[in-house]
């Protein structure tokens, strides 16, 4: 076990090969997520709260805030992945994991930002087509969008994110380059489309419950989804 819970796990020099797993593993990933979450539920929720607070703060800045959010939020969200890694090693998640990515390689940071931006781009396109909503415009927060349109927008974002699920893990934990991180994630998705779609459906349901609870439920939904994605990465890539 590493003395630093934020450091990446040991990895082979050329990354890992994705393997195919069964559909039922999606539920096992969430079971594993619960185990990791119990290592520090309050800290996990505090990390989620910091991410949500940053999102709200950036929304106050018209246009520039939306652009900044696409740079900042994906990086902050990696704090939940570092916290999951620490919990898996028998340590506890810590608030400093929120900024653990600062020590990552520039290529890894770029991969995380680009993956997050692709998801936002898909949501922005669907928002314009489905509800004539400009996500770059002021007042385009979730509370200002019709519920039906919001569901379609978030569903588009979730579907787009599935092939990109493992980009942060490949870039941050396996040390792959920018292009190889995306290639590894796409390969894992093509081999495991069904379990990943099932995991995405569960994550989408958690997101909706979180939103319906005036955002309070997101303090649980965000850590659970992040920890489940960590469990999926370990399972599909055979990480021990």
């Amino acid at each position: 076990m590493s003395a630093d819970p934020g450091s990446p796990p040991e990895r082979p020099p050329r990354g890992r090969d994705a393997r195919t797993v069964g559909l039922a593993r999606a539920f096992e990933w969430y079971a594993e997520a619960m185990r990791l979450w119990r290592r520090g539920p309050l800290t996990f929720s505090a990390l989620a709260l910091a991410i949500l607070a940053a999102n709200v703060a950036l929304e106050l800045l018209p246009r520039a805030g939306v652009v900044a959010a696409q740079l900042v939020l994906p990086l902050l969200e990696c704090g939940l992945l570092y916290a999951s890694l620490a919990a898996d090693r028998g340590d506890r998640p810590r608030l400093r994991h929120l900024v653990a990515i600062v020590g990552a390689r520039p290529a890894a940071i770029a991969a995380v930002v680009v993956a997050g931006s692709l998801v936002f781009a898909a949501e922005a396109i669907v928002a314009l087509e489905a509800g004539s909503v400009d996500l770059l415009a002021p007042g385009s927060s979730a509370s200002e969008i019709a519920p039906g349109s919001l569901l379609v927008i978030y569903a588009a974002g979730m579907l787009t994110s599935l092939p990109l699920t493992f980009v942060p893990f490949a870039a941050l934990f396996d040390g792959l380059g920018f292009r190889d991180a995306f290639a590894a994630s796409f390969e894992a998705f093509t081999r495991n489309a069904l379990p990943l779609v099932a995991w995405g459906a569960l994550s989408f349901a958690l997101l909706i419950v979180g939103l319906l609870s005036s955002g309070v439920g997101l303090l649980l939904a965000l850590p659970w989804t992040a920890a489940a994605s960590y469990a999926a990465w370990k399972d599909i890539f055979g990480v021990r």
Side-chain angles (χ1 to χ4, degrees):
M1 183 182 300
S2 170
D4 179 7
S7 62
E10 293 183 2
R11 57 182 181 265
R14 295 185 179 179
R16 311 175 196 274
D17 293 326
R19 60 182 181 176
T20 303
V21 301
L23 175 62
R25 299 298 270 270
F27 300 95
E28 296 179 15
W29 297 337
Y30 264 100
E32 174 67 3
M34 295 301 100
R35 183 186 72 84
L36 298 175
W37 173 76
R38 285 195 293 268
R39 292 290 303 175
L42 293 180
T43 305
F44 268 116
S45 292
L47 291 171
L49 179 61
I51 294 169
L52 293 172
N55 187 30
V56 171
L58 290 171
E59 282 185 352
L60 298 177
L61 303 174
R63 293 197 181 272
V66 177
V67 174
Q70 308 322 307
L71 300 175
V72 175
L73 294 180
L75 302 180
L76 294 180
E77 289 167 358
C78 288
L80 293 170
L81 306 184
Y82 281 103
S84 299
L85 172 63
D88 193 29
R89 289 175 164 177
D91 203 329
R92 294 186 181 277
R94 305 181 189 280
L95 293 179
R96 64 183 174 86
H97 288 136
L98 189 67
V99 294
I101 197 172
V102 171
R105 296 171 300 110
I109 293 175
V112 170
V113 170
V114 170
S117 297
L118 290 173
V119 174
F120 176 77
E123 292 177 339
I125 292 172
V126 171
L128 281 174
E129 295 295 329
S132 298
V133 176
D134 183 2
L135 293 185
L136 291 173
S140 60
S141 64
S143 61
E144 303 292 332
I145 303 174
S149 297
L150 192 63
L151 285 176
V152 173
I153 293 169
Y154 282 144
M158 180 61 69
L159 289 174
T160 304
S161 71
L162 292 180
L164 306 171
T165 299
F166 303 116
V167 169
F169 300 101
L172 297 173
F173 295 169
D174 275 341
L176 297 186
F178 183 92
R179 183 181 301 177
D180 289 340
F182 280 88
S185 187
F186 274 101
E187 179 187 4
F189 175 73
T190 57
R191 292 189 177 186
N192 298 278
L194 285 180
L196 283 171
V197 167
W199 168 79
L202 291 172
S203 302
F204 183 72
L206 280 176
L207 173 65
I208 298 307
V209 171
L211 292 173
L212 291 176
S213 62
S214 300
V216 176
L218 293 176
L219 299 181
L220 297 177
L222 293 182
W224 290 350
T225 299
S229 70
Y230 171 84
W233 168 68
K234 283 188 61 181
D235 188 17
I236 290 176
F237 286 92
V239 181
R240 298 186 183 278

